[in-house]
Amino acid sequence: MLELRNVTKIYQAGTINETCLFQDFNLAVPDGQFVSVVGSNGSGKTSMLNIICGSIEIERGQVLVGGKDITRMSEFRRHRTVGRVYQNPALGTCPSMTLLENMSLADTKGRPFNLRRGTDRRRIAFYREQLSRLNLGLEDKLHVKVGSLSGGQRQAAALLMSTMTPIDFLILDEHTAALDPKTAERIMELTDQIVREKKLTTIMVTHNLRYAVEYGDRVLMMHQGKTVFDRAGEEKRGVTTETLLGLFNEISIECGN
Amino acid sequence: MGIVLSTVEQGLIYAILALGVYITYKILDFPDLSVDSTFPLGAAVTATMITNGMHPLLTLPASMLAGALAGAVTGIIHVKCRVRDLLSGIIVMTGLYSLNLRVAQDKANLPIFGTDTLFKNGLTAALPDAVADYAPVLILLALVVLCKLCMDWFLRTRAGYLLRAVGDNPTVVTALAKDGGMVKIQGLAIANALVALSGCVMCQYQRFFEISMGTGAIVIGLASVIIGTNLFKNLSFLRATSAVVIGSILYKACVAIALSSGLLPKPQDMKFVTAVLFLLILALGEVRRKKVKAHA
Ligand SMILES: Nc1ncnc2c1ncn2[C@@H]1O[C@H](COP(=O)(O)OP(=O)(O)O)[C@@H](O)[C@H]1O
Ligand SMILES: [Mg+2]
């Protein structure tokens, strides 16, 4: 179980620009659940993921994993059990290293970064096979620097890298937003496959309402730092893109747009 | 002939320093000014050890250790106290000035004449005259090649991958559940170990320690790195480390030509010319970086 309890997040506290994004925010995600999160820009989706991963500090409240309080645990320690793909495709890979070196780095996660050879030659066939699942021809680009790949190719590689070693949680922030429709579709299918194979507890932020409806077993809608819609299991199956779209419109009318 | 030889010799000595600067400037993206003081630190350790009768070979690991400690301090100041990179280097540079004098037995100038060094010992004395002239350059070449090969090897280990990753994209290091700050500290330690080793060798080569011998060391290092990596960036068979070594020799050659050709009205104008050249190189490099960013 992953929990946010009574979380309060204030940006730029003590300045005239002080904004309270979350006030007593609560969220509980049972193990193995795949949650899709939708919501307008600025509703606090990325901030919520940052709070879970420890990338930003909170003013009040707790973050718990399996009942254990990890609020004060550093970001890098939390990543022992967390894989994350960022909204920005540049964040998930090392641009001046080759694809093979990037895959090798990801493969070493959880083991000592010692003086053994950085790339294990015996693993290359496995990397190739993993990359070929993406259908982007990346399996032939192992010796290309990642910086010269397209944003979509990098994002796809980042997804593989973040799920290469055993993890419990997968955090995805609009990870298909930078991709062309066909690649996005392929990456989304692959994400679903990986989540099932590895039984990962997943939180996926997306602007694609169809993905939110089709994938995952719970859907959340956020607005101004609050959960305005939350359906799981059987109830979630009844949710359609029209339902979500209707909600979006309601909210924006309330806001006077 | 003599001037060519000594130019190559000095180029090789500074090549070790340049390899260290390559780690901080190119790999970690950290402009480390503490180099100006870790270079003489290596020399101070060496001069004191040798005047106290210790074996010249022992000074190599000892000065590297001293340099590594100083580099780690720069890293800790930057990472743990959140001081900006340039300032962390300046703090260590300032503090080490006093410390270097202490290490050198409170002397601003500590000669090591009349004792064995790397370049003058029982072995080199036994060489026939024809070869003896080339002994220093051969010893230096062996040392530089060894450093270069060690670095090439290290950069392809798991630890080396992580070091490259932290300069390239720290987010990836965090995602690998590793403390990027620690990796930076280690990188600065390794880099300054090389810089201090370079100072150690320079001390034995010129046979004295001098407190201000590090002034401008960072400029020499950066110039070597920038010349080397830019000049040879299209030659994919040449590793960056080799390019840096050649860059260092080229830089020393340029300086020697500038000084001997009378291009400079006075030798003391050298630093000014260096600064202008340096600015040009950096400014051009910055323009290129912006272009790359715009394409990303
Ligand atoms: N570092 C920051 N400093 C100040 N305000 C921020 C910062 N990060 C996010 N915010 C504010 O918090 C709100 C939510 O942002 P974010 O979590 O990125 O939203 P989303 O991902 O849902 O688009 C926005 O109004 C944004 O302006
Ligand atoms: Mg966002």
Side-chain angles (χ1 to χ4, degrees):
Chain A
M1 179 84 94
L2 169 71
E3 282 177 272
L4 297 182
R5 263 194 217 156
N6 303 324
V7 167
T8 299
K9 173 69 205 171
I10 302 168
Y11 277 118
Q12 287 155 338
T15 70
I16 45 164
N17 293 323
E18 181 173 298
T19 40
C20 180
L21 178 57
F22 294 116
Q23 185 144 31
D24 289 318
F25 183 83
N26 287 286
L27 177 75
V29 183
D31 287 340
Q33 192 171 59
F34 183 165
V35 190
S36 303
V37 181
V38 295
S40 46
N41 291 323
S43 58
K45 305 178 300 294
T46 300
S47 299
M48 178 180 78
L49 301 185
N50 281 337
I51 289 168
I52 293 170
C53 294
S55 323
I56 58 175
E57 288 182 352
I58 53 178
E59 274 58 40
R60 252 177 293 131
Q62 289 172 299
V63 184
L64 300 111
V65 168
K68 194 173 152 253
D69 188 343
I70 60 160
T71 318
R72 301 267 153 256
M73 189 191 272
S74 62
E75 186 183 11
F76 80 91
R77 285 217 176 79
R78 291 192 204 186
H79 274 88
R80 283 181 192 157
T81 56
V82 172
R84 184 172 185 185
V85 182
Y86 296 84
Q87 193 169 350
N88 176 355
L91 286 179
T93 46
C94 290
S96 68
M97 296 175 78
T98 65
L99 185 54
L100 178 58
E101 287 167 338
N102 271 279
M103 298 293 276
S104 308
L105 264 175
D107 204 12
T108 312
K109 178 172 174 177
R111 283 182 287 164
F113 280 86
N114 52 22
L115 296 180
R116 297 171 72 149
R117 200 187 274 276
T119 300
D120 182 348
R121 298 239 163 92
R122 290 164 304 184
R123 295 285 287 170
I124 294 178
F126 170 74
Y127 302 152
R128 276 226 164 81
E129 179 215 309
Q130 291 290 307
L131 288 166
S132 65
R133 291 172 80 182
L134 300 169
N135 282 346
L136 292 172
L138 283 175
E139 61 277 14
D140 302 321
K141 298 205 153 83
L142 277 177
H143 299 286
V144 172
K145 285 201 176 138
V146 169
S148 58
L149 299 177
S150 74
Q153 288 174 320
R154 282 202 228 178
Q155 194 70 323
L159 174 67
L160 284 186
M161 285 171 63
S162 62
T163 54
M164 181 113 65
T165 49
I167 48 170
D168 299 328
F169 302 98
L170 181 59
I171 306 293
L172 306 166
D173 195 354
E174 299 182 34
H175 72 306
T176 58
L179 310 177
D180 68 73
K182 195 162 146 281
T183 311
E185 206 70 38
R186 176 78 198 114
I187 296 298
M188 199 48 239
E189 279 165 23
L190 192 69
T191 305
D192 193 48
Q193 240 176 327
I194 293 172
V195 168
R196 277 165 211 284
E197 268 169 34
K198 307 203 168 199
K199 301 192 173 55
L200 302 174
T201 308
T202 305
I203 302 182
M204 174 180 79
V205 168
T206 179
H207 278 311
N208 188 320
L209 299 182
R210 193 167 56 75
Y211 291 167
V213 168
E214 273 178 33
Y215 297 95
D217 25 45
R218 178 172 174 187
V219 58
L220 276 187
M221 185 182 284
M222 291 181 64
H223 180 66
Q224 293 181 345
K226 291 188 186 64
T227 311
V228 292
F229 182 79
D230 184 356
R231 295 283 182 281
E234 208 49 54
E235 277 188 323
K236 193 250 171 185
R237 242 157 274 164
V239 178
T240 60
T241 49
E242 285 74 27
T243 329
L244 295 178
L245 207 55
L247 263 164
F248 258 116
N249 289 332
E250 251 176 64
I251 289 167
S252 41
I253 290 165
E254 263 173 44
C255 292
N257 297 343
Chain B
M1 194 57 215
I3 188 156
V4 173
L5 204 57
S6 74
T7 302
V8 173
E9 285 165 357
Q10 287 186 32
L12 285 170
I13 294 173
Y14 282 110
I16 304 174
L17 172 137
L19 287 173
V21 172
Y22 176 77
I23 293 181
T24 48
Y25 182 70
K26 276 282 172 181
I27 297 182
L28 289 178
D29 199 15
F30 188 112
D32 177 23
L33 292 189
S34 61
V35 164
D36 270 22
S37 62
T38 51
F39 182 74
L41 172 65
V45 167
T46 305
T48 293
M49 283 178 76
I50 287 184
T51 51
N52 281 294
M54 291 198 217
H55 196 278
L57 277 181
L58 276 181
T59 63
L60 303 179
S63 50
M64 284 181 87
L65 190 67
L69 280 174
V73 170
T74 308
I76 290 166
I77 292 174
H78 173 62
V79 172
K80 303 290 178 197
C81 311
R82 295 169 193 274
V83 175
R84 269 200 262 158
D85 46 13
L86 277 173
L87 290 177
S88 314
I90 290 175
I91 290 171
V92 168
M93 184 169 80
T94 310
L96 265 188
Y97 186 88
S98 302
L99 230 62
N100 284 346
L101 282 170
R102 289 288 179 121
V103 173
Q105 304 157 52
D106 296 323
K107 294 196 181 74
N109 195 310
L110 185 58
I112 49 170
F113 296 124
T115 48
D116 272 8
T117 66
L118 276 181
F119 305 102
K120 280 230 159 46
N121 50 48
L123 275 176
T124 54
L127 291 172
D129 279 353
V131 191
D133 284 350
Y134 298 99
V137 80
L138 291 176
I139 292 169
L140 285 169
L141 192 64
L143 191 65
V144 169
V145 168
L146 185 70
C147 288
K148 183 204 112 68
L149 290 178
C150 281
M151 213 165 115
D152 288 343
W153 163 79
F154 175 75
L155 290 177
R156 294 204 273 160
T157 63
R158 290 176 179 180
Y161 275 23
L162 202 60
L163 187 70
R164 289 161 61 195
V166 84
D168 211 11
N169 183 357
T171 309
V172 167
V173 175
T174 307
L176 293 169
K178 281 283 157 188
D179 184 352
M182 278 308 291
V183 181
K184 266 193 186 166
I185 294 171
Q186 286 163 15
L188 281 160
I190 296 171
N192 282 288
L194 285 168
V195 173
L197 176 64
S198 174
C200 160
V201 176
M202 181 50 101
C203 175
Q204 303 193 44
Y205 177 81
Q206 65 185 19
R207 302 195 137 250
F208 60 86
F209 156 81
E210 212 262 308
I211 186 67
S212 67
M213 67 189 278
T215 311
I218 182 65
V219 175
I220 299 178
L222 283 175
S224 306
V225 168
I226 293 169
I227 292 173
T229 51
N230 281 320
L231 220 49
F232 302 115
K233 66 168 173 268
N234 295 327
L235 298 182
S236 52
F237 62 89
L238 198 68
R239 266 186 216 290
T241 46
S242 313
V244 166
V245 170
I246 299 173
S248 170
I249 296 170
L250 284 181
Y251 176 72
K252 274 289 154 192
C254 292
V255 172
I257 291 169
L259 282 177
S260 64
S261 66
L263 271 173
L264 294 173
K266 285 181 182 160
Q268 52 265 49
D269 294 339
M270 190 62 218
K271 286 256 189 278
F272 184 78
V273 174
T274 307
V276 171
L277 271 180
F278 197 56
L279 174 66
L280 274 177
I281 295 171
L282 281 181
L284 291 177
E286 200 49 46
V287 170
R288 199 168 50 88
R289 242 200 239 184
K290 281 211 185 104
K291 271 191 196 150
V292 172
K293 281 238 168 88
H295 285 292

